[in-house]
Amino acid sequence: MTPRASRKGGADSRCPSCSAPLITQWVGNTLALKVSTDGTPLTPAEQTALRTPNRLIWCLTTGPHRAPRLRWIHTAHPTNCPHPHVTEHQCTAPPTTLF
């Protein structure tokens, strides 16, 4: 049985290679993606510079009574969104194995 996407928010964890703090979460309902993002909010200029076809920008919705939740930023996403935007983690640490 395939695990379903969690509605309980993201788990705080660290990158096993560089120990950077990450927010890891299953995003989506039918074909969910497991996303690990850096927790640092990005400016609009940083979002434009970091966005690629293989590196998406995510909206981190938060609230006083709910866990943080990642949402994909798409064309219908409001330009004046009050939530922080983060990007997928790309580790910069050198590989630790030979394979």
Side-chain angles (χ1 to χ4, degrees):
M1 176 177 227
T2 304
R4 294 188 53 170
S6 173
R7 295 274 184 208
K8 296 180 182 176
D12 291 333
S13 60
R14 293 202 171 267
C15 174
S17 296
C18 68
S19 299
L22 303 176
I23 298 169
T24 303
Q25 186 177 114
W26 285 97
V27 180
N29 294 324
T30 305
L31 297 172
L33 299 172
K34 186 172 183 180
V35 179
S36 293
T37 65
D38 294 320
T40 306
L42 302 171
T43 65
E46 290 172 324
Q47 292 176 47
T48 302
L50 293 173
R51 182 182 290 120
T52 67
N54 294 320
R55 191 173 190 198
L56 302 175
I57 306 296
W58 301 89
C59 179
L60 182 61
T61 59
T62 57
H65 304 291
R66 67 177 184 187
R69 184 173 175 200
L70 293 170
R71 300 181 128 181
W72 176 51
I73 294 179
H74 51 82
T75 55
H77 192 79
T79 56
N80 60 348
C81 175
H83 302 109
H85 294 165
V86 295
T87 189
E88 293 181 77
H89 177 68
Q90 288 186 340
C91 189
T92 56
T96 58
T97 61
L98 298 175
F99 303 100

